[in-house]
Amino acid sequence: MLLSTAAWPAVEAYLTRSKGIVIPIGSHEQHGPNGLIGTDAICPEVIAQEAAKQAGFMVGPTFNVGQAQHHLGFPGTISLRPSTMIAALQDWIASLTRHGFTRIYFLNGHGGNIATIQAAFSEAYAPYSLRGEPAPFVCVQKNWWELKGVAEACKRFFPVGDGAHATASEVSVTFYRYPEAATAPAMSPTIAPNGPIRDAADYRLRFPDGRIGSNPLQARADIGAELVAVARVALIEEAAAFFAED
Ligand code: NI
């Protein structure tokens, strides 16, 4: 069930049988010459929505803008400051728990979000922890590429040049979802350089076309479909176990 396309009585009825919800969370940031700006939001969204279709759990709207400051040297990137993102996530969590969702599973698509999501969880728990009371809800985050079997599948399909940013794997998932957006512009070098991630200006100098360590010209929609299938199975299993916790 998708929260965005459900009416409130259906949500109320859902809450009588489950307290769990999956929130895809990502970013809007450059992903190299052929990667879509929304890649990190699209990947967890596709996986969560396909899993929900099969398993019947609730998927919330995608929190689709995150920590992308280091990508701001490229047009199209939108970033939240850490303090803004923490505040927004707290309000999402508080709204959901207000209505009885007590198991909130964030399926993340962007490595840069990890620290801020964890900080938001700490802020959400803080009032309870400081009062010595148990928090009436639990939040977890999982990166989609760390779901069971996904890393192995990425390695099998892309043994060379999957990379660290604008990866062949994530671009494949987006081409599966939006095949009409698939392009293959020239890229040089074939495999992008690796290096440290610092501020936006430094990033653009080190990684002039936006990629890190990747050759996304390997991306294929049919491989994206296979990656989503592996991730979907793992998410269904993980979400079911998490939602069943006492
Ligand atoms: Ni990405």
Side-chain angles (χ1 to χ4, degrees), residues 86-100:
I86 290 167
L89 279 171
Q90 281 192 85
D91 286 354
W92 280 49
I93 292 166
S95 300
L96 291 166
T97 57
R98 159 78 174 74
H99 297 115

Side-chain angles (χ1 to χ4, degrees), residues 29 31 39-40 109-110 165-166 170:
E29 63 188 43
H31 268 75
T39 296
D40 289 352
H110 175 47
H165 182 68
E170 63 183 343

